[in-house]
């Protein structure tokens, strides 16, 4: 079978062995029953849920006092759940506007109270991560996006926040070491670096909840899901199961420190080609470049058809940049093999030497 190199930004590449195991479990997970036709309260699924949680805890080194939830509604529902649960009535929150997803989070938060934009990089079409901004004295929480999937920028040094720190890590969770204790809420849609679409991982420090005096609908209340162990209603069993398999794969590989090194190598290799190839240029400021989503464009647009054709011939898929940036975006998440990156580099090379 000749392989397609999947550079899709999301839903994205998953390890082959995970896909194989997942397809087996669709047919026969337990006693000739499919994973997706057994009760979520059965013993075999209970094991999956607990295993998934313990792998998250283990891989990210999460101390006691945090809850690990698998919710639905995507990262996008978190844009509303965060202010619903954390913003006091007549309260305020501080946001960093670093891209499309951050802007969407801001739009929802504004429906709950006062949103203060600490910094905004829209002037540079979000090609940089703002630094050295001032924060107000009082606010209910600070919100940032660790990796801007569409623009290919990534926060390398998180700001020190004197207060509640919330981070959307949808597109770089499990890709690098993070110090959990600096965060109060981390959330991530599964489909970028953890599993198939359908579940959202939320890691939340228990002590920050229950302080807003808001009446919160049960499904949107983090405490509901904490009390019921992510089983208040039927959880997205398939997505949680495949996430569990992916996290197991990651652990067997050597965990976060191993994958972080691999991700750095993969990104260095590709950025090096972009910087040294006269036909291409990167679109993000160098120091803020993402190790997950590598955005670049052709200097000479007349080469576009040639490049696209060569990519197609090499079985490179999903390279088109987001419509708001144009150009190309190579998403090189954890499961992306270095060999696929070498195939892309080879095509870029050949185009230059044509
Ligand atoms: C993809 C993405 C989202 C949206 O995720 P959904 O699960 O589709 O709602 C939010 N934030 C970031 C950083 C993303 O990359």
């Amino acid at each position: 079978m000749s392989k397609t190199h999947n550079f899709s930004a999301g839903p994205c590449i998953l390890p082959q062995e995970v896909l194989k195991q997942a397809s087996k479990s669709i047919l026969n997970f337990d006693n000739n029953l499919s994973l997706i036709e057994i009760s979520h309260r059965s013993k075999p699924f209970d094991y999956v849920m607990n295993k998934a949680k313990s792998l998250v805890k283990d891989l990210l080194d999460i101390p006691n006092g945090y809850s690990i939830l698998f919710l639905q509604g995507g990262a996008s529902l978190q844009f509303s759940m965060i202010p619903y649960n954390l913003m006091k009535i007549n309260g305020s929150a501080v946001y960093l506007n670093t891209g499309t997803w951050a802007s969407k989070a801001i739009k929802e938060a504004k429906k709950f109270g006062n949103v203060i934009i600490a910094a905004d990089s829209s002037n540079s079409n979000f090609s940089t991560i703002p630094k050295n901004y001032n924060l107000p004295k009082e606010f209910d929480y600070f919100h940032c996006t660790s990796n801007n999937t569409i623009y290919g920028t990534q926060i390398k040094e998180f700001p020190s926040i004197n207060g509640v720190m919330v981070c959307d890590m949808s597109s770089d969770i499990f890709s690098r070491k993070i110090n959990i204790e600096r965060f109060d809420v981390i959330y991530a849609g599964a489909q970028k670096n953890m599993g198939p679409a359908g579940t959202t991982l939320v890691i939340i420090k228990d002590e920050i909840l229950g302080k807003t005096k808001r009446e919160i609908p049960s499904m949107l209340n983090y405490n509901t899901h904490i009390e019921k162990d992510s089983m208040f209603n039927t959880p997205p069993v398939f997505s949680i199961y495949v996430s569990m398999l992916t996290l197991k794969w990651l652990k067997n590989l050597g965990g976060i420190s191993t994958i972080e090194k691999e991700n750095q190598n993969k990104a260095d290799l590709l950025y090096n080609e972009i910087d040294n190839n006269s036909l291409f240029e990167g679109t993000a400021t160098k120091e803020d470049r993402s190790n997950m989503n590598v955005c670049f464009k052709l200097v000479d647009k007349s080469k576009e058809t040639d490049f696209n054709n060569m990519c197609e011939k090499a079985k490179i898929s999903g390279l088109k940049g987001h419509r708001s940036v144009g150009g190309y975006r190579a998403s090189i998440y954890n499961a992306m093999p270095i060999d696929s990156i070498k195939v892309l580099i080879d095509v870029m090379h050949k185009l230059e030497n044509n």
Side-chain angles (χ1 to χ4, degrees):
M1 197 175 74
S2 71
K3 204 178 161 347
T4 298
H5 306 283
N6 184 7
F7 288 91
S8 170
C12 76
I13 186 166
L14 290 170
Q16 279 296 310
E17 61 184 82
V18 166
L19 295 177
K20 277 184 195 146
Q21 183 59 50
S23 32
K24 272 190 204 158
S25 301
I26 285 286
L27 288 172
N28 178 6
F29 177 62
D30 180 59
N31 205 15
N32 283 319
L33 294 174
S34 168
L35 167 78
I36 56 174
E37 61 177 9
I38 60 168
S39 167
H40 56 288
R41 305 202 187 272
S42 63
K43 251 199 174 151
F45 188 74
D46 196 47
Y47 170 83
V48 170
M49 181 64 104
N50 287 328
K51 186 73 185 170
K53 277 186 199 158
S54 75
L55 282 162
V56 171
K57 192 172 161 98
D58 202 30
L59 284 164
L60 295 177
D61 210 2
I62 300 176
N64 290 335
Y66 287 80
S67 291
I68 297 163
L69 303 174
F70 289 98
L71 305 182
Q72 300 191 57
S76 297
L77 185 59
Q78 296 308 308
F79 299 164
S80 306
M81 279 180 77
I82 293 291
Y84 224 147
N85 285 264
L86 301 179
M87 205 192 283
K88 295 194 178 87
I89 293 170
N90 299 322
S92 67
V94 180
Y95 278 70
L96 215 51
N97 190 13
T98 54
T100 307
W101 297 116
S103 304
K104 289 186 175 180
I106 289 165
K107 186 180 167 201
E108 297 310 313
K110 280 182 174 167
K111 295 170 184 171
F112 293 86
N114 183 27
V115 172
I116 300 152
I117 310 294
D120 182 324
S121 56
S122 57
N123 279 344
S124 66
N125 197 29
F126 297 120
S127 61
T128 58
I129 297 289
K131 291 153 206 114
N132 305 321
Y133 38 84
N134 294 317
L135 297 180
K137 264 218 168 72
E138 285 194 22
F139 51 89
D140 294 327
Y141 65 88
F142 173 90
H143 180 284
C144 61
T145 313
S146 59
N147 183 71
N148 298 282
T149 325
I150 292 175
Y151 299 92
T153 61
Q154 188 174 30
I155 298 179
K156 304 289 172 179
E157 190 90 35
F158 285 95
S160 292
I161 301 300
N162 193 4
V164 172
M165 168 73 152
V166 180
C167 188
D168 175 359
M169 290 197 190
S170 290
S171 53
D172 69 351
I173 193 151
F174 301 115
S175 73
R176 58 172 169 169
K177 271 223 161 83
I178 43 167
N179 181 359
I180 293 286
E181 293 185 50
R182 291 185 58 182
F183 300 89
D184 297 283
V185 187
I186 291 169
Y187 63 91
Q191 72 276 15
K192 304 281 169 40
N193 215 9
M194 184 173 80
T199 196
T200 311
L201 172 65
V202 178
I203 300 161
I204 190 159
K205 198 173 198 174
D206 301 324
E207 66 178 37
I208 66 166
L209 293 170
K211 296 185 174 165
T212 68
K213 300 202 169 75
R214 280 184 199 276
E215 188 71 47
I216 307 173
S218 309
M219 271 298 281
L220 301 181
N221 191 333
Y222 289 122
N223 272 327
T224 305
H225 299 288
I226 292 172
E227 280 158 25
K228 298 288 180 185
D229 236 352
S230 298
M231 292 273 207
F232 174 67
N233 67 329
T234 317
V237 292
F238 181 70
S239 183
I240 294 169
Y241 173 69
V242 182
S243 297
M244 184 274 279
L245 293 180
T246 311
L247 296 175
K248 227 184 206 172
W249 165 85
L250 179 54
K251 191 178 173 186
N252 289 339
L253 213 68
I256 303 287
S257 56
T258 305
I259 204 79
E260 181 172 27
K261 269 186 225 130
E262 279 183 25
N263 287 332
Q264 189 64 50
N265 285 342
K266 290 189 287 184
D268 286 348
L269 208 62
L270 188 49
Y271 282 120
N272 213 30
E273 177 64 24
I274 290 166
D275 292 339
N276 291 316
N277 188 318
S278 60
L279 297 180
F280 294 95
E281 64 183 3
T283 54
T285 303
K286 276 192 183 171
E287 62 178 11
D288 300 325
R289 281 173 165 178
S290 166
N291 282 1
M292 295 282 100
N293 311 95
V294 177
C295 294
F296 58 99
K297 56 186 181 192
L298 276 163
V299 179
D300 174 3
K301 271 206 141 188
S302 71
K303 302 264 183 197
E304 201 173 285
T305 310
D306 279 350
F307 183 57
N308 293 350
N309 288 341
M310 287 166 76
C311 283
E312 202 180 318
K313 247 182 111 180
K315 291 190 162 36
I316 288 170
S317 164
L319 203 66
K320 196 175 185 308
H322 190 270
R323 57 194 180 278
S324 55
V325 191
Y328 299 94
R329 168 174 53 171
S331 296
I332 53 173
Y333 298 112
N334 285 355
M336 167 62 71
I338 196 159
D339 286 345
S340 291
I341 293 169
K342 286 179 182 164
V343 169
L344 173 60
I345 288 174
D346 192 49
V347 169
M348 294 166 82
H349 230 76
K350 279 191 181 131
L351 186 74
E352 192 184 29
N353 297 328
N354 243 352

